[in-house]
Amino acid sequence: MKATRLGAAGLAVALLGALVAGTPASAAESDPTTTTTTCTIDPATPKRQFRAMWIASVTNIDWPSKASQTAPDQIAKQKAEYLGWLDLAQKLNHNAVVVQVRPTADAFWPSAYEPWSEYLTGVRGQNPGWDPLAFLVEESHRRNLEFHAWFNPYRVSMPAPGGAGADLAKLAPDHPARQHPDWVFAYPPAGVAGSRLYYNPGIPEVREFVQTAMMDAVNRYDIDGVHFDDYFYPYPSGTWQVPDDGTFAAYNRGFTDKADWRRDNINLLIQEMNGKIKTAKPWVKFGVSPFGIWRNRSADPGGSDTTGSQSYDIISADTRKWVREEWIDYVVPQLYWYIGQYPAADYARLVPWWAETVRGTRVQLYIGQADYKSGEPAYGPYWQNPRELSDHLTLNRSYPEVLGNVHFSAVQVKANRLGATDIYAAEHYSRPALVPAMAQLPAQPLLAPVITGAERQADGVHLTWRQPADGAGPLGTATSYAIYRFDGTGIADGCDFADAAHLVATVRGGEGDVQSWVDPDAAAGQRFTYYVTALDRVWNEGPASPPRFLH
């Protein structure tokens, strides 16, 4: 946004506001609007909590809809559908979206490396006539939602008949897999039900290529995060083996155990991708959403009290190592199980294991929630409890390492079966929340905004403010703002900003010196006090403005 510079008088007023709102603590330790005094915080209204839903494009699960591909105005239809998902995110007080933009070695943007995704037009490689990723990012930021670009690193096709299956000839004509058939393998084998194509993670050129293809989006678009799901090596199918004996012989790097080599292949992908992201754009986050079990305690004393499938063994994903080495900024284990006597994978056993795993690291823990199971009879009686998902979020409160949730997936969140979405939203997402700050990402100090006006009009209270010395000198640039409203007229102290009880909105910064927002919920005839704080693009918060009283 455009840098704003106030005169000496305005700057002095802004600095005074920092003192009015309370003495800031270290930005790395707590919010600057919170004093060093211990504050009583309502766990139902945390000030910082990552809240998002996955918006899946593969097989048109969430967006765009398959029907949109044949709509008379395909582009307008797909844009409107996406804005509808952002409306839902705002309604639920989410602060991020995780959108799948490379589902099958293809692209939702004009890529020089990979073909256009079939899920836009229904035809593999067909130009949709617009740049979806540019639109997705711009509109998400307009709502002040973080945009996490979700990539699948190695999957090339989906099973026939809907997908190309194991048939290279059914891929887009210019697909890299057709140009380099030695880069891919079919699993299960061609001719077996469910067969599909994968890039071979053991080939160094493949690992380099998929990183380059994904980094194209990082370099060209203003995304906030890179997100991987749990597909690395294929999940086992029957007794079929991944056909990589030749690859192991050619590229074993001295490994004698193929399982260790496969894990190292994925470790290299994660480590190298993180390095490339941070070199290009140090503020862009890197997160992975792995299968919820690393290893069982019976296989490893450091594992969880579970008996289910183990990502370490079945898909060569050593997720605990990625956390311990801090190769990722956040982890979202898919804990798609209920709370109860389920020895294979009890939610109540896995949350504490993951909390312990991230403890002492800079990796943030969010939990993947199975909204798709709620109210579906096929998943058993526990998922017929409309409170199951809300109970998950309540259990999370007992573990301070749990800093948020991501819900799978958008259509399931919207379906609201049994009223489950309404319940957890009312009990856990009743107020807005800031995205948790990450100390490892670059930050600069922000000055306090100066509120220049608060006027009651027919549609609500119109608030205006300026940001002094925005981005000038050693100061950071304000990307967005948090707005706090208090009943009555008085001076707030640091603890008043410690949770979201008084946080009414976060808004994206706009062009121009004057920023504005309309509060539609300020009751007529009542007195209020407003404060505004500035947030940088990774959600570090500056000191609060001087108060503005509305009589």
Side-chain angles (χ1 to χ4, degrees), residues 135-447:
F135 177 81
L136 301 177
V137 173
E138 181 180 356
E139 292 301 325
S140 301
H141 284 171
R142 195 185 306 277
R143 315 290 186 101
N144 205 30
L145 296 165
E146 275 200 337
F147 184 90
H148 291 238
W150 169 12
F151 304 94
N152 188 288
Y154 291 125
R155 183 172 60 200
V156 174
S157 66
M158 294 297 287
D167 190 347
L168 281 166
K170 290 184 178 179
L171 299 176
D174 60 346
H175 199 292
R178 296 182 68 169
Q179 301 166 14
H180 302 277
D182 55 311
W183 281 8
V184 301
F185 59 73
Y187 185 85
V192 176
S195 180
R196 67 185 79 182
L197 296 170
Y198 294 87
Y199 278 129
N200 190 335
I203 300 176
E205 291 83 1
V206 167
R207 194 174 70 248
E208 179 67 25
F209 172 78
V210 299
Q211 292 176 33
T212 299
M214 294 184 288
M215 284 301 300
D216 182 57
V218 177
N219 287 316
R220 292 171 53 196
Y221 297 88
D222 190 26
I223 66 174
D224 301 292
V226 169
H227 184 94
F228 287 177
D229 53 24
D230 59 323
Y231 289 95
F232 297 102
Y233 274 89
Y235 277 90
S237 178
T239 59
W240 300 110
Q241 300 299 307
V242 172
D244 61 353
D245 286 346
T247 311
F248 180 53
Y251 303 109
N252 59 64
R253 297 187 303 279
F255 281 91
T256 57
D257 182 270
K258 187 190 287 186
D260 289 340
W261 169 74
R262 285 179 179 168
R263 277 186 289 274
D264 193 60
N265 291 332
I266 307 303
N267 289 345
L268 288 171
L269 169 74
I270 299 297
Q271 184 181 15
E272 292 169 358
M273 192 67 188
N274 180 59
K276 290 181 178 180
I277 293 166
K278 294 303 188 288
T279 297
K281 294 183 176 180
W283 58 89
V284 172
K285 304 170 183 178
F286 182 33
V288 178
S289 176
F291 183 75
I293 299 173
W294 170 70
R295 297 200 89 186
N296 298 315
R297 190 176 297 169
S298 60
D300 189 304
S304 51
D305 184 14
T306 50
T307 61
S309 298
Q310 306 169 107
S311 66
Y312 180 93
D313 299 281
I314 66 170
I315 56 173
S316 306
D318 191 355
T319 54
R320 188 180 69 165
K321 183 178 182 67
W322 308 342
V323 172
R324 288 183 166 183
E325 298 292 339
E326 297 183 343
W327 291 338
I328 54 179
D329 295 304
Y330 69 86
V331 64
V332 193
Q334 298 173 22
L335 302 191
Y336 293 169
W337 302 288
Y338 55 79
I339 299 172
Q341 298 304 311
Y342 183 48
D346 185 340
Y347 184 91
R349 296 178 182 179
L350 280 160
V351 169
W353 186 89
W354 281 100
E356 172 63 27
T357 297
V358 303
R359 193 170 299 145
T361 74
R362 297 182 299 182
V363 178
Q364 293 188 352
L365 172 62
Y366 318 138
I367 305 298
Q369 299 293 341
D371 289 51
Y372 73 95
K373 289 187 173 180
S374 181
E376 284 290 349
Y379 295 112
Y382 282 89
W383 289 104
Q384 298 309 303
N385 175 8
R387 297 196 50 81
E388 180 67 28
L389 288 169
S390 190
D391 289 346
H392 288 195
L393 274 57
T394 300
L395 185 149
N396 292 355
R397 294 178 186 172
S398 300
Y399 300 92
E401 293 82 7
V402 180
L403 297 178
N405 300 277
V406 185
H407 298 267
F408 189 83
S409 66
V411 292
Q412 310 296 340
V413 173
K414 183 179 180 180
N416 190 27
R417 285 184 297 274
L418 308 178
T421 303
D422 289 342
I423 293 170
Y424 72 66
E427 296 183 354
H428 300 278
Y429 301 162
S430 65
R431 308 293 300 177
L434 309 184
V435 172
M438 291 182 174
Q440 67 267 34
L441 302 184
Q444 291 176 292
L446 297 164
L447 290 182

